[in-house]
Amino acid sequence: PRCGDPLAGSPNLTQSRHSLHLGDCLAALARYDRERRRDLGLAAERLRLARRHLGRITGHVGAEDVLDIIFRDFCVGK
């Protein structure tokens, strides 16, 4: 497993950026829980953000990340 043996207890996050992303993921999930009965669109966005933060820890890069870099670094359309 990437983060250690789940039977041995919670994994240690050795990099501060992992801790930050995990905290942001947990915050997004808490906001999802508050919004899921009021606004399904906002709730879905919170889940997307939570998944994105987990992806930053695991190394998963999605199409959205690539587009963000292209528009940020190459100034397409300016």
Side-chain angles (χ1 to χ4, degrees), residues 5-70:
D5 182 358
L7 299 176
S10 298
N12 290 328
L13 297 176
T14 57
Q15 295 187 17
S16 61
R17 72 176 185 87
H18 289 169
S19 294
L20 293 173
H21 285 299
L22 186 58
D24 289 341
C25 175
L26 291 173
L29 290 174
R31 287 190 297 269
Y32 159 79
D33 194 46
R34 288 191 304 269
E35 294 169 352
R36 66 189 169 109
R37 289 185 181 88
R38 291 181 289 196
D39 189 327
L40 193 56
L42 282 177
E45 175 64 11
R46 300 306 181 204
L47 288 177
R48 187 190 69 77
L49 288 172
R51 184 197 61 79
R52 190 172 186 186
H53 285 293
L54 284 179
R56 301 281 177 147
I57 295 170
T58 63
H60 174 77
V61 177
E64 215 174 86
D65 298 311
V66 173
L67 290 174
D68 286 347
I69 292 168
I70 290 171

